[in-house]
Amino acid sequence: MGMKKAATLLDDLLQNAGGCGVIDGGFATQLEKHGAIINDPLWSAVCLINDPDLIKKVHLEYLEAGADILVSSSYQATIPGFISKGLSVEKGELLLEKSVKLAIEARDSFWDSVKSIPGHKYNRALVAASIGSYGAYLADGSEYSGHYGPDVNLDKLKDFHRRRLQILVDASPDLLAFETIPNKLEAQACVELLEEENIQIPSWICFSSVDGENAPSGESFKKCLHAINKSDKVNAVGINCTPPHFIEALITKFKELTNKHIVVYPNSGEVWDGRSKKWLPSNCFGDDKFESFSSRWRDLGATFIGGCCRTTPSTIRSISKVLKESSHE
C-alpha cells in the first residue's frame, strides 16, 4: 500500500463520517469496570496475557458506541516490558501482534453484524496500532514530564521503538498512533523511524500537555512539530491524555502550526499521579460536557475526536451522537 493509497483510507473515513471521525475512549478504564486488575507495569497490556477475550469485548463496546477508530491495546506493550515479566522475546512479539489482531477481529465481526441493517449510522472502523511513548514503558510518569534523563538520546529512542513498530505494522493495522509523546526528541525519533522503515500506512503523533500551552518537557509545540511538518509519513498530529479544558486553545494553536489533520482525545480531567499510581480527586468532564464541547472542537478544526483515560463507551456515544447528528443535518 503506497502512502497515497494509505492516506485515502483516512480521507475516505472522514468523508463517510461527515468530516470528523470518532476515536474510541479509555481502554484501561473499561477493562477495570469489567473487573480486570491492571495495577502492573504493563498496565492494560497485561490483559493480552490474562484475558484477551475481555480486550475484544471492550473493543466491541466502543464500536457499538459509535467509534470510527479503534486503538489497539499495545500502548504499554513493549518487548522489554514483556521480558521483565519473564516472557520470551518470541512470546512478547506474538502478544504485540495479538493486540492488533484482536482489534481487527472485533472490527470485522461488528461490521459484519451491522452492515446489512438498513439505516444504520456506523462506519467501518479503522484499527490504529497504539505506540506509547518511552515514558509509558518506564511507568514512572515521565510521559507527563518529558524528562528522560541525559542517557536518552535520539538513537536510544529509535532503538526502543523500532522492533515494536515493525511487529505492529506486520500485523496489518490501518494506521499507527504514537501516543502521549512528551518532548521534541521523541517526536523526531518517531518521524525518523517512519522514514527509515519506509512505513506505508498512515500515522498520527499525539502529545500530552500539562499546562495547555507546551509539551510536558516545556518545549513549544512549534519546536515539536518542526520535524513532523516536514514528513509526509505523518498524516495527523494532536493531543491525547490531557485535561479537556486545555483542548480548545491547543486546537487553535495547532491550526496555526500545521496543515495536517488534528487529533484530540483528552482524558476526563482527572489527574493521574504517576508515582503513587492512583487518580487524584479533581474536576472532570462528564459525558454531557464532552457532548457539548465536541462540536466546538470540530468547528475549531479537529478532524478526529475521542477520549482517553477515565472516559467510557458512554462518553464516546455522546461524542458520536453530536458529531454524527450535525454531519447529517
Side-chain angles (χ1 to χ4, degrees):
M1 185 193 289
M3 275 312 290
K4 192 162 185 185
K5 186 179 175 188
T8 306
L9 201 64
L10 274 183
D11 293 334
D12 286 349
L13 174 65
L14 285 174
Q15 188 172 355
N16 292 337
C20 191
V22 178
I23 307 166
D24 63 10
F27 206 80
T29 305
Q30 197 62 10
L31 290 172
E32 287 183 313
K33 282 198 170 182
H34 289 301
I37 296 167
I38 57 172
N39 187 9
D40 187 279
L42 289 176
W43 204 33
S44 56
V46 78
C47 288
L48 286 167
I49 304 168
N50 299 338
D51 200 347
D53 288 344
L54 183 56
I55 287 177
K56 203 163 164 182
K57 178 177 181 168
V58 170
H59 284 318
L60 286 166
E61 287 172 337
Y62 278 117
L63 290 166
E64 287 162 6
D68 299 315
I69 295 180
L70 282 184
V71 181
S72 73
S73 53
S74 49
Y75 174 77
Q76 213 142 317
T78 65
I79 305 296
F82 287 131
I83 290 171
S84 73
K85 298 289 285 185
L87 301 175
S88 67
V89 171
E90 293 76 17
K91 178 67 173 171
E93 292 182 351
L94 284 171
L95 288 168
L96 273 173
E97 183 183 342
K98 189 179 203 171
S99 70
V100 174
K101 297 298 185 192
L102 287 168
I104 290 172
E105 285 168 16
R107 185 270 312 277
D108 290 349
S109 66
F110 181 77
W111 186 242
D112 286 343
S113 71
V114 300
K115 66 183 178 186
S116 58
I117 300 171
H120 78 83
K121 289 195 172 118
Y122 296 104
N123 300 304
R124 183 177 183 276
L126 301 181
V127 169
S130 170
I131 300 173
S133 62
Y134 180 65
Y137 153 68
L138 295 174
D140 62 358
S142 58
E143 71 263 51
Y144 304 111
S145 72
H147 301 145
Y148 288 167
D151 297 335
V152 177
N153 57 24
L154 193 65
D155 286 337
K156 180 164 184 173
L157 288 172
K158 285 196 286 188
D159 289 345
F160 168 75
H161 283 299
R162 191 180 306 273
R163 184 65 188 133
R164 175 168 57 159
L165 177 76
Q166 292 167 342
I167 294 160
L168 291 171
V169 169
D170 286 347
S172 301
D174 300 302
L175 66 149
L176 298 172
F178 293 93
E179 303 187 289
T180 58
I181 302 301
N183 55 36
K184 178 182 175 231
L185 185 69
E186 193 160 16
Q188 187 177 343
C190 296
V191 169
E192 290 189 17
L193 257 187
L194 291 168
E195 298 288 346
E196 289 170 17
E197 297 296 320
N198 194 24
I199 301 303
Q200 296 295 311
I201 59 174
S203 67
W204 75 52
I205 295 178
C206 283
F207 298 86
S208 53
S209 178
V210 291
D211 64 1
E213 290 185 23
N214 304 295
S217 60
E219 294 163 309
S220 71
F221 282 120
K222 184 174 184 180
K223 282 184 179 173
C224 291
L225 290 176
H226 183 68
I228 293 171
N229 281 334
K230 292 194 292 185
S231 172
D232 63 0
K233 301 278 188 192
V234 183
N235 304 79
V237 295
I239 296 287
N240 76 293
C241 214
T242 292
H245 53 273
F246 290 154
I247 296 298
E248 193 168 306
L250 287 168
I251 294 170
T252 303
K253 187 185 287 281
F254 275 50
K255 281 296 285 183
E256 292 170 1
L257 296 174
T258 188
N259 293 320
K260 296 184 185 293
H261 291 304
I262 293 176
V263 185
V264 293
Y265 47 119
N267 56 39
S268 69
E270 291 172 77
V271 176
W272 174 250
D273 184 331
R275 293 197 178 279
S276 62
K277 304 280 192 298
K278 64 181 182 181
W279 292 97
L280 303 176
S282 44
N283 292 329
C284 62
F285 265 39
D287 296 346
D288 55 337
K289 277 200 175 178
F290 270 97
E291 188 173 323
S292 58
F293 275 78
S294 293
S295 54
R296 172 90 178 138
W297 295 339
R298 180 206 53 212
D299 294 345
L300 285 169
T303 42
F304 296 99
I305 297 173
C308 205
C309 296
R310 311 295 274 183
T311 61
T312 67
S314 71
T315 315
I316 300 311
R317 189 169 284 108
S318 297
I319 293 171
S320 176
K321 179 180 167 226
V322 72
L323 293 180
K324 285 171 186 175
E325 273 179 5
S326 54
S327 72
H328 289 105
E329 284 173 1

